[in-house]
Amino acid sequence: MTEIIVVTSGKGGVGKTTTSASLAVGLAKRGRKVAVIDFDVGLRNLDLIMGCERRVVYDFVNVIQNECTIKQALIKDKRYENLFVLAASQTRDKDALTREGVERVLDELREADFDYVVCDSPAGIEKGAFLAMYFADRAIVVVNPEVSSVRDSDRILGLLASKTRHAEVGTRRVEQHLLLTRYNPERVARGDMMSIADVEEILGLEILGVVPESESVLAGSNAGTPVILDNESPAGQAYDDAVGRLLGDSLPMRFTEAQKKGFLSRLFGA
C-alpha cells in the first residue's frame, strides 16, 4: 500500500528540500519504490539537489493539465532504479495546481505500486503547501532550533490535525514527526540555541532525527548529490538514522552532545 509523506515547515530555508531528497534516497536504498514530487511551483529546486535538472522535459503541472502522462514526466534516478523524481514547473503559477489534479497524480502512483510518495512542500500555508499536505498519511515537519521556526511549525501541526483529507473524513490522523535541522550542540550549551528538549516540549512531539550543522549539506546540494549519500558526513549519517527510525528501527540519537575540548584546545582557545 502506498504511503504519502509530506515534508513541510512553516518557515522557509529550514532544509525541506534537502530532507525530501535524503528521505527519498534513504527509502530507495532500503529497497522501497519511491517517487519524490516538488510542489514548489515557480521555483523548482528538488531536481537540482537530486542532480537531474538537465533531464527535466515534463513537470508536475504538465501532468496535472494532461499535457503528458505520469510516465513521461517521472525522471528515473541514475543511482537507484526504484527512485523517481517529478519536478516542479518554473514557468507556471501556483494556481496551476488543483486538488483534483494532485489527487489524480497520486492515484496513478498508487496504481504503479509505489511504496512511498514524498511530497516536497513549499514553506508556509499557501496553496502549494496546502495541497502537498492535504493527501498525506504521514508528515515530517522540519524545524530549526530557533523561536520563529518552532512557532511557525506549531501552526503547521495545527493544520495537519484539521485541514487534511484524513481530518475531514475522520478515519485517522496524519502521523506527525519532527526533524530538527542545523543543530549545533556547542551553541545549545552556551544558551544561544534551543535544545531538543525545548523543541519537544513546545511542540508536543518527539524528535525523529537531529541533523547537525554541516558544510557537506551545501556541498552535496551544489553537486546534485543528496547529503545522505555522504557516509563520512555527520549530516548524512543523521539523515540515514532518521530514515531508519521512520521505518521502525530503534537507533540512538547521535550528534546531540557538545564535544569536550582537550587540555591543549582549552589552553589555546581552539
Side-chain angles (χ1 to χ4, degrees), residues 48-68:
L48 290 171
I49 292 180
M50 293 296 294
C52 62
E53 70 278 5
R54 296 183 181 179
R55 293 191 286 142
V56 176
V57 178
Y58 294 111
D59 57 50
F60 192 16
V61 173
N62 291 139
V63 181
I64 286 178
Q65 298 188 346
N66 291 308
E67 296 167 353
C68 69

Side-chain angles (χ1 to χ4, degrees), residues 8-156:
T8 184
S9 74
K11 187 175 182 291
V14 298
K16 285 185 305 302
T17 301
T18 295
T19 297
S20 297
S22 289
L23 175 61
V25 169
L27 291 169
K29 280 174 61 179
R30 288 166 170 80
R32 274 62 169 188
K33 186 178 181 182
V34 184
V36 55
I37 305 176
D38 191 345
F39 274 76
D40 204 354
V41 174
L43 293 179
R44 204 180 92 184
N45 289 314
L46 178 64
D47 54 301
L48 290 171
I49 292 180
M50 293 296 294
C52 62
E53 70 278 5
R54 296 183 181 179
R55 293 191 286 142
V56 176
V57 178
Y58 294 111
D59 57 50
F60 192 16
V61 173
N62 291 139
V63 181
I64 286 178
Q65 298 188 346
N66 291 308
E67 296 167 353
C68 69
T69 66
I70 187 68
K71 288 184 178 180
Q72 288 176 291
L74 285 174
I75 303 169
K76 190 174 184 178
D77 186 78
K78 291 183 177 180
R79 293 157 294 220
Y80 299 97
E81 61 178 15
N82 53 330
L83 175 59
F84 298 82
V85 178
L86 182 54
S89 171
Q90 281 185 306
T91 59
R92 306 293 183 95
D93 187 84
K94 296 182 187 299
D95 289 335
L97 295 180
T98 64
R99 184 184 298 189
E100 296 75 17
V102 171
E103 184 173 21
R104 177 169 53 81
V105 170
L106 295 177
D107 285 343
E108 291 182 11
L109 293 172
R110 288 189 182 95
E111 292 172 5
D113 293 327
F114 278 87
D115 296 306
Y116 293 95
V117 177
V118 178
C119 301
D120 180 24
S121 171
I125 56 175
E126 47 88 10
K127 186 175 183 180
F130 169 74
L131 289 174
M133 74 170 65
Y134 182 75
F135 296 99
D137 302 307
R138 189 187 298 263
I140 310 295
V141 183
V142 183
V143 187
N144 286 166
E146 58 180 55
V147 173
S148 62
S149 177
V150 173
R151 179 195 61 195
D152 291 346
S153 296
D154 203 18
R155 168 69 168 157
I156 294 298

Side-chain angles (χ1 to χ4, degrees), residues 217-228:
V217 174
L218 179 59
S221 297
N222 289 337
T225 304
V227 70
I228 195 172

Side-chain angles (χ1 to χ4, degrees), residues 141 143-145 178-183 195-196 199 207 209-212:
V141 183
V143 187
N144 286 166
L178 296 180
L179 184 76
L180 199 57
T181 56
R182 297 178 180 168
Y183 192 75
S195 69
I196 297 171
V199 176
I207 301 290
V210 177
V211 181

